[in-house]
């Protein structure tokens, strides 16, 4: 288990405040735009930066005062930072050398890790001959070699082209599941976060905006910001929605906004909300329509083909209407 | 962070300031305060003082402009074109800069002098040497490499992709040079101008020999006040004036580097074009350029060799034999030098080695403490020795510490302080080029501090550190002022031996010693340079 307890770090123009724990075998993602504090959080966890207050716990032990080299955490940097003067095998064996592991054992472990990351036979390759994806896998192997207590990944896919990303994501997930190592993953990509995580923490301006499993966060986000971050969302004033649907606003003190994902909007010829298609986009497996309604423009996704300008009706299934805390006041 | 910086600054200032103060204030102690002030006023009211100040400024400015102009194309070629002999060109051009001023003086006289090689070849009677022109000529030969290295360094920082962006936007070559490369390279040019200016401003040996009574820099006037007029307060006053003028230039350098400081961009890419891939016209221009520079720098040095092997009318090894036997004709060479050739060799190499280790270690420690941080005031302090003339500083070290510490220790410290700005600049650049992330990666893998230094920093920084070491080594080997002023003639290195031989009119043996010196330094450069390839074991 690795965790941060009431960690606070103040900068002149930035204030970071986080509190979370990652259990054995779990991947927790810190998701946020740049400047949200996600990398700083990871660096504090690793010991590269200090927090002003709070504790860092590793398997129940307080490691806040331990320097980075004594924490035993594997760190994978955004640009991998493989040592340029060492070859692949020497890079992976670096942490084993630190631990004074015998040469033959180092060699055995390097081969084992290269097999794990799918780079058998790469021991003697110079770093500069590797592709981005290969470098990333070597960086992961290097971080795993000394048997870390947790794995910290700082945007490990950002330098990889889109086509290769998916296979690398699957690969990383497989390695992590196999080792059951607690992992903290930092990214700004919601696709990566949704695919890889057991839990996601959305960071905004140094604070946790929302947290939960990918499904919880996508389907039942707590705030407007979280709802928009994780995907397209129709966010509407609650009272108007209930009025148009003919429902009673039973709890007038509740949140003022309701959200419905475009794929949950029911598009048909009959329904309570009259709508007209003003724009459409074709994605092969689905169509995305922008519709003009009394509630304003609504985005809907469906497999059915409609002509532009077609007069349709919409319905919002009640179980998919999610009350949101408005976050407009954040600016 | 603040405390560590303050400690570095304090340690450095504690070494640098007291000797300078000792020289500036020596007159006050000797003559009493009132008399001292009167002496000062008297020095500042002399026309000669201001003539010297003006001459110092003008010759330094002209020398700097000419050095930079000559170095500009070479810097471009070094940074952008993989021409044959590129590494050799970079190493060898540094040779004149690390030669003792005595050797450059001998070289200029034997090549450009009235009876020199040039006049003999052209059949002319050019009188270049004992004039302002001779001074400037020697300064350009001396400082060409300084300008070359600084500007080439700047050019190497320019991201190749910027050129590609410009190409993709359809910009013409001329416009690219004017609007893209010129602004990016300008800071290096200004820095090179300022540094060469400083060196020439405090130039001593060259001006002393070539300037005669007509042309004297402030540095020469300080020397004359001190040793000819025995006027301590006068020397102090002139040293103060010189210090103020140099200080202004150092502040200017600092301002330049601050205004133009750019954070290095992640993913910066620099490529050097292959020789075979450029047009024949470019190859021809590059070859012609290096031929001209080679002649300009090495014909004078070559003429030393020529004359050392032709001590009289014919070819002879007489002068070299004298170094081994200790006799030439009826002269006792070892008695003149007051040391044997082996002793000179061992002393010179030993002092240079120790000084280089001291300088590079100190520079490395300071650069590591400052890694990746911009601390302008501290950089200014580190550059301060540039503003202090070596005559002033050595004299101060001697006045202050001789008797309390062994002369050798003081010599090493003096050489280290004087070489520090140059060595620190290069070490700092090297250290800053290693991103902190690499060390963080090593830390995350459990590596303790010393292990990190041994396994990551030193191997990655090796080439840069070896370069800095070579530089420090050569600067110490060429040092004449500190050795002579502090060593009181007991520590005999190459320059001291040559100085003595010239004093006793043994030019031939001095030239032979000069040849040895050139050969040694060239050999050291080539050996050290070839051991510092890439990251070591691999050559790919």
């Amino acid at each position: 288990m690795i965790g941060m307890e009431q960690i606070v770090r103040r900068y002149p123009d930035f204030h970071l405040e986080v509190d979370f724990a990652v259990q054995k075998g779990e991947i927790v993602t810190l998701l946020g735009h740049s400047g949200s504090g996600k990398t700083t959080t990871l660096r504090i966890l690793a010991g590269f930066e200090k927090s002003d207050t709070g504790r860092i716990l590793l398997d129940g032990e307080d490691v806040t005062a331990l320097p980075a080299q004594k924490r035993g955490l594997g760190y994978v940097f955004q640009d991998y930072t493989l040592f340029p003067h060492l070859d692949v095998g020497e890079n992976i064996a670096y942490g084993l050398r630190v631990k004074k592991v015998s040469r033959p054992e180092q060699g055995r472990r390097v081969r084992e890790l290269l097999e794990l990351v799918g780079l058998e036979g790469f021991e003697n390759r110079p770093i500069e001959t590797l592709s981005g994806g290969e470098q990333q896998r070597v960086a992961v192997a290097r971080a795993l070699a000394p048997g870390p207590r947790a794995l910290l990944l700082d945007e490990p896919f950002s330098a990889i082209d889109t086509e290769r990303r998916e296979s690398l994501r699957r690969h990383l997930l497989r390695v992590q599941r196999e080792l059951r190592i607690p992992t903290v993953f930092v990214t700004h990509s919601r696709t990566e976060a949704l695919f890889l995580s057991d839990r996601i923490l959305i960071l905004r301006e140094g604070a946790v905006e929302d947290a939960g499993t990918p499904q919880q966060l996508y389907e039942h986000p707590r705030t407007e910001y979280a709802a928009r971050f994780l995907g397209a969302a129709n966010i509407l004033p609650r009272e108007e929605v209930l009025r148009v649907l003919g429902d009673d606003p039973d709890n007038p003190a509740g949140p003022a906004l309701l959200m419905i994902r475009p794929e949950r909007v029911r598009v048909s010829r009959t329904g309570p909300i009259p709508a007209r298609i003003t724009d459409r986009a074709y994605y092969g497996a689905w169509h995305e329509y922008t519709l003009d309604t009394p509630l304003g423009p609504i985005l809907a996704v469906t497999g059915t083909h409609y002509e532009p300008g077609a007069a349709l009706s919409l319905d919002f299934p009640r179980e998919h209407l999610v009350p949101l805390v408005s976050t407009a006041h954040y600016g | 962070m603040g405390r560590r910086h303050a400690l570095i600054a304090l340690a450095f200032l504690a070494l640098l300031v007291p000797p300078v103060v000792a020289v500036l204030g020596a007159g006050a102690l000797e003559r009493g305060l009132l008399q001292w002030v009167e002496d000062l006023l008297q020095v500042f009211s002399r026309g000669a003082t201001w003539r010297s100040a003006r001459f110092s400024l003008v010759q330094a400015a002209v020398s700097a402009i000419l050095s930079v102009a000559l170095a500009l194309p070479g810097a471009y070629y070094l940074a952008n074109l993989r021409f044959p002999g590129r590494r050799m060109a970079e190493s060898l051009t540094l040779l004149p800069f690390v030669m003792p001023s005595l050797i450059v003086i001998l070289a200029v006289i034997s090549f450009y002098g009235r009876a020199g090689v040039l006049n003999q070849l052209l059949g002319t009677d050019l009188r270049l040497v004992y004039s302002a022109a001779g001074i400037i000529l020697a300064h350009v030969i001396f400082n060409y490499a300084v300008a070359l290295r600084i500007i080439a360094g700047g050019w190497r920082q320019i991201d190749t992709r910027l050129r590609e962006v410009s190409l993709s936007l359809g910009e013409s070559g001329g416009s690219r040079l004017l609007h893209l490369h010129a602004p990016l390279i300008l800071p290096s040019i200004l820095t090179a101008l300022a540094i060469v200016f400083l060196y020439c401003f405090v130039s001593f040996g060259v001006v002393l020999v070539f300037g005669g009574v007509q042309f004297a820099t402030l540095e020469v006037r300080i020397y004359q006040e001190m040793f000819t007029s025995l006027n301590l307060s006068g020397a102090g006053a002139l040293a103060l004036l010189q210090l103020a003028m140099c200080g202004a230039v150092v502040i200017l350098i600092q301002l330049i580097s601050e205004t133009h400081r750019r954070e290095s961009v992640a993913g910066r890419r620099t490529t050097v074009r292959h020789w075979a891939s450029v047009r024949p016209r470019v190859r021809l221009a590059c070859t012609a350029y290096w031929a001209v520079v080679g002649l300009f720098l090495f014909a004078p040095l070559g003429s030393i060799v020529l004359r050392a092997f032709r001590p009289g009318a014919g070819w002879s090894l007489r002068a070299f034999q004298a170094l081994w036997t200790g006799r030439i004709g009826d002269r006792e060479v070892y008695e003149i030098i007051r040391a044997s050739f082996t002793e000179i060799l061992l002393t010179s190499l030993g002092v240079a080695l120790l000084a280089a280790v001291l300088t590079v270690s100190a520079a490395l420690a300071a650069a590591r403490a400052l890694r990746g941080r911009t601390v302008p005031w501290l950089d200014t302090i580190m550059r301060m020795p540039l503003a202090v003339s070596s005559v002033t500083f050595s004299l101060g070290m001697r006045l202050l510490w001789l008797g309390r510490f062994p002369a050798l220790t003081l010599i090493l410290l003096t050489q280290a302080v004087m070489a520090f700005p140059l060595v620190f600049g290069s070490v700092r650049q090297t250290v800053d080029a290693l991103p902190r992330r690499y060390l963080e990666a090593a830390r995350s893998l459990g590596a303790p501090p010393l292990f990190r230094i041994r396994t990551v920093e030193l191997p990655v920084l090796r080439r840069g550190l070896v370069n800095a070491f070579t530089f420090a080594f050569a600067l110490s080997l060429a040092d004449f002022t500190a050795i002579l002023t502090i060593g009181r003639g007991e520590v005999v290195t190459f320059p001291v031996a040559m100085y003595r031989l010239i004093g006793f009119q043994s030019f031939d043996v001095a030239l032979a010693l000069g040849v040895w010196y050139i050969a040694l330094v060239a050999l050291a450069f080539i050996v050290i340079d070839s051991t510092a390839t890439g990251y070591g074991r691999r050559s790919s």
Side-chain angles (χ1 to χ4, degrees):
Chain A
M1 193 280 292
I2 177 168
M4 293 181 115
E5 239 180 49
Q6 294 173 343
I7 288 288
V8 176
R9 178 79 166 96
R10 289 181 197 87
Y11 295 93
D13 51 352
F14 186 73
H15 181 97
L16 179 78
E17 202 171 332
V18 280
D19 189 321
F20 69 96
V22 187
Q23 303 303 328
K24 187 169 168 57
E26 197 183 22
I27 301 187
V28 168
T29 296
L30 304 176
L31 176 66
H33 293 300
S34 62
S36 61
K38 52 193 193 304
T39 295
T40 306
T41 307
L42 203 66
R43 289 175 61 81
I44 291 175
L45 206 50
F48 299 144
E49 276 175 49
K50 295 222 173 319
S51 61
D52 296 326
T53 57
R55 297 198 306 161
I56 291 158
L57 298 172
L58 244 179
D59 301 330
E61 179 198 347
D62 184 349
V63 297
T64 321
L66 278 188
Q69 64 265 33
K70 297 212 169 127
R71 291 194 184 179
L73 299 172
Y75 198 106
V76 176
F77 289 80
Q78 191 169 356
D79 59 358
Y80 320 127
T81 318
L82 296 175
F83 300 124
H85 59 300
L86 305 178
D87 63 24
V88 168
E90 290 165 330
N91 259 285
I92 298 175
Y94 189 89
L96 303 171
R97 250 171 90 194
V98 174
K99 286 184 148 181
K100 300 201 170 67
V101 171
S102 71
R103 283 268 169 177
E105 176 61 19
Q106 281 183 28
R108 201 186 58 72
R109 189 94 178 96
V110 166
R111 281 191 297 279
E112 198 179 287
L113 283 158
L114 280 173
E115 195 188 319
L116 180 73
V117 298
L119 290 176
E120 293 94 335
F122 271 58
E123 285 95 324
N124 300 318
R125 291 273 292 268
I127 295 308
E128 63 270 20
T129 64
L130 303 182
S131 71
E134 287 162 352
Q135 285 189 39
Q136 190 237 46
R137 285 187 280 168
V138 173
V140 170
R142 182 179 69 178
L144 290 173
R149 295 199 273 183
L151 192 57
L152 311 180
L153 307 169
D154 187 5
E155 307 236 10
F157 302 106
S158 63
I160 310 282
D161 49 77
T162 335
E163 292 91 71
R164 298 278 301 131
R165 261 183 217 177
E166 197 176 323
S167 73
L168 278 168
R169 279 203 297 258
R170 285 182 197 285
H171 191 267
L172 185 70
L173 195 61
R174 189 173 60 72
V175 170
Q176 196 273 345
R177 293 299 185 225
E178 200 172 316
L179 300 176
R180 292 186 48 73
I181 183 170
T183 301
V184 184
F185 173 67
V186 158
T187 184
H188 63 270
S189 152
R190 67 180 185 220
T191 326
E192 281 170 17
L194 291 172
F195 177 82
L196 276 172
S197 322
D198 294 308
R199 274 187 302 134
I200 298 173
L201 272 71
I202 297 178
L203 284 184
R204 183 187 187 197
E205 291 170 20
V208 178
E209 170 87 8
D210 205 351
T213 65
Q215 199 171 349
Q216 274 169 356
L217 275 188
Y218 184 77
E219 291 180 8
H220 295 280
R222 195 177 58 84
T223 67
E224 186 184 345
Y225 183 84
R228 289 192 195 281
F229 202 131
L230 286 176
N234 295 297
I235 296 172
L236 307 158
R238 177 169 171 268
E239 272 185 30
E240 279 182 45
V241 173
L242 296 183
R243 188 170 43 75
V244 170
L245 292 177
D247 291 2
D248 257 354
D250 47 357
N251 180 8
L257 294 175
L258 288 176
M259 185 277 290
I260 183 161
R261 296 281 179 202
E263 66 276 16
R264 298 298 187 190
V265 175
R266 195 168 293 154
V267 186
S268 62
R269 299 282 174 190
T270 58
I273 311 166
R276 181 176 297 279
I277 295 176
T278 57
D279 196 10
R280 63 168 189 164
Y282 178 56
Y283 287 96
W286 72 89
H287 301 265
E288 187 186 89
Y289 300 102
T290 310
L291 300 118
D292 191 24
T293 74
L295 293 166
I298 296 284
L299 201 65
V301 165
T302 167
T304 320
H305 172 81
Y306 298 105
E307 286 303 317
L312 299 166
S313 293
L314 305 182
D315 196 3
F316 298 157
R318 307 302 182 268
E319 68 273 25
H320 294 306
L321 272 175
V322 182
L324 289 184
V325 175
S326 164
T327 39
H329 61 276
Y330 279 93
Chain B
M1 160 170 146
R3 229 177 62 185
R4 196 197 284 184
H5 293 174
L7 269 177
I8 298 176
L10 271 180
F12 194 69
L13 289 175
L15 266 176
L16 181 68
V17 176
V20 178
V21 173
V23 172
L24 298 181
L29 282 180
E30 190 198 54
R31 310 257 289 162
L33 202 58
L34 270 180
Q35 188 59 46
W36 180 63
V37 173
E38 212 168 283
D39 287 347
L40 291 194
L41 293 177
Q42 202 255 326
V43 169
F44 287 127
S45 63
R46 276 191 230 151
T49 303
W50 298 107
R51 267 201 305 282
S52 295
R54 200 171 55 232
F55 178 69
S56 300
L57 281 173
V58 172
Q59 61 84 17
V62 175
S63 305
I65 290 168
L66 290 179
S67 303
V68 166
L70 185 63
L72 210 50
Y76 173 81
Y77 291 135
L78 273 185
N80 294 297
L81 188 58
R82 212 179 291 276
F83 56 87
R86 174 160 160 262
R87 291 264 301 281
M88 194 67 111
E90 193 164 11
S91 304
L92 282 184
T93 46
L94 197 59
L95 211 54
F97 180 69
V98 297
M99 288 293 154
S101 51
L102 282 161
I103 286 200
V104 174
I105 290 165
L106 283 174
V108 170
I109 295 174
S110 53
F111 189 78
Y112 293 100
R114 270 191 81 182
V117 177
L118 191 66
N119 272 332
Q120 284 177 22
L121 281 177
L122 302 176
T124 49
D125 185 29
L126 293 169
R127 293 169 195 211
L128 283 172
V129 171
Y130 294 95
S131 64
I135 292 171
I136 289 167
L137 195 62
H139 282 166
V140 176
I141 293 178
F142 241 134
N143 292 303
Y144 166 80
V146 178
L148 182 73
R149 295 211 150 198
I150 294 174
I151 301 170
W155 227 306
R156 286 193 176 119
Q157 299 292 315
I158 298 178
D159 196 326
T160 319
R161 291 173 303 179
L162 295 176
R163 180 174 170 271
E164 288 159 7
V165 171
S166 149
L167 282 172
S168 73
L169 295 172
E171 194 175 24
S172 71
S175 166
R176 186 159 55 244
L177 189 69
L178 197 67
H179 296 117
L180 180 68
H181 286 141
L184 289 172
I185 204 68
L186 192 67
S188 320
I189 292 179
L190 293 177
T191 308
L193 276 174
I195 301 248
V196 175
F197 176 91
L198 268 184
Y199 284 136
C200 300
F201 190 76
V202 298
S203 166
F204 176 65
V206 171
V207 184
L208 189 69
V209 177
F210 290 163
V213 279
Q214 202 185 351
F215 305 107
T217 51
L218 284 172
E219 185 83 339
V220 172
R221 288 252 182 262
I222 295 172
Y223 175 82
Q224 287 168 343
E225 285 296 324
M226 188 67 104
F227 294 109
T228 315
S229 322
L230 299 174
N231 178 1
L232 261 180
S233 4
L238 290 169
L240 189 68
L241 179 61
Q242 191 187 39
L243 193 65
M245 293 171 82
C246 290
V249 178
V250 173
I251 290 169
L252 186 74
I253 297 177
Q254 193 57 46
L255 285 179
I256 295 171
S257 66
E258 260 171 63
T259 5
H260 296 279
R261 181 181 281 274
R262 274 184 216 98
E263 293 306 319
S264 59
V265 184
R268 183 167 58 83
R269 209 154 46 80
T270 50
T271 48
V272 182
R273 280 188 288 164
H274 277 279
W275 184 242
S277 71
V278 295
R279 279 172 296 173
R281 199 154 49 93
V282 177
R283 290 200 290 243
L284 185 70
C286 177
T287 312
Y289 171 82
W290 289 111
V292 169
V293 166
L295 270 179
F296 174 70
L297 295 180
F298 295 106
L301 288 176
S303 61
I304 290 186
V305 182
L306 193 76
R307 288 192 50 179
F309 286 103
R310 281 178 75 93
W315 297 96
S316 155
L317 286 174
R318 220 153 39 97
F320 289 91
Q321 281 158 351
L323 286 174
W324 292 111
T325 58
R327 290 186 63 83
I328 190 164
D330 54 353
R331 278 172 183 250
E332 290 287 342
V333 174
Y334 289 169
E335 260 174 43
I336 295 174
I337 303 175
R338 281 183 259 160
S340 73
F341 182 63
T342 325
E343 281 167 346
I344 299 170
L345 203 62
L346 291 178
T347 312
S348 298
L349 293 180
V351 168
L353 213 60
L354 286 174
V357 169
L358 185 66
T359 317
V360 174
S361 313
L364 185 60
R368 289 188 75 242
L370 295 174
R371 187 202 311 270
R373 297 205 180 101
T374 319
V375 192
W377 60 271
L378 199 53
D379 279 320
T380 309
I381 288 179
M382 297 297 178
R383 286 208 178 97
M384 274 168 62
L386 284 177
V388 180
S389 79
S390 54
V391 168
T392 307
F393 187 69
S394 307
L395 217 55
M397 286 296 273
R398 180 186 163 151
L399 282 176
L400 210 59
W401 306 119
L402 199 65
R404 271 174 262 192
F405 296 99
L408 194 64
T409 312
L410 295 182
I411 288 173
L412 290 177
L413 277 176
T414 307
Q415 291 183 345
V417 170
M418 296 315 289
F420 194 79
L422 287 175
V423 177
F424 174 69
S426 116
V427 171
R428 174 136 206 219
Q429 222 171 29
T430 307
V431 168
D432 279 353
L434 173 74
R436 198 175 279 267
R437 296 190 306 277
Y438 283 103
L439 300 178
E440 287 175 349
R443 280 179 78 188
S444 76
L445 293 166
L450 279 179
F451 192 87
R452 290 200 291 273
I453 294 179
R454 191 164 59 78
T455 57
V456 179
E457 274 195 279
L458 288 183
V460 175
L461 302 183
R462 190 167 118 187
R463 175 146 182 94
L465 290 181
V466 166
N467 278 344
F469 184 86
T470 319
F471 202 36
F473 179 83
L475 284 177
S476 163
L477 207 60
D479 170 62
F480 177 52
T481 328
I483 288 267
L484 195 69
T485 319
I486 301 168
R488 288 162 142 183
E490 285 159 25
V491 184
V492 183
T493 56
F494 273 96
V496 177
M498 280 186 265
Y499 175 68
R500 289 196 174 139
L501 287 167
I502 293 169
F504 280 84
Q505 301 289 319
S506 289
F507 284 112
D508 303 338
V509 188
L511 287 168
L513 212 53
V515 171
W516 264 102
Y517 187 93
I518 295 171
L520 264 182
V521 173
L523 187 72
F525 267 44
I526 292 166
V527 168
I528 296 176
D529 207 54
S530 63
T531 58
T533 318
Y535 292 119
R537 284 162 303 150
R538 249 194 351 261
S539 55
S540 56

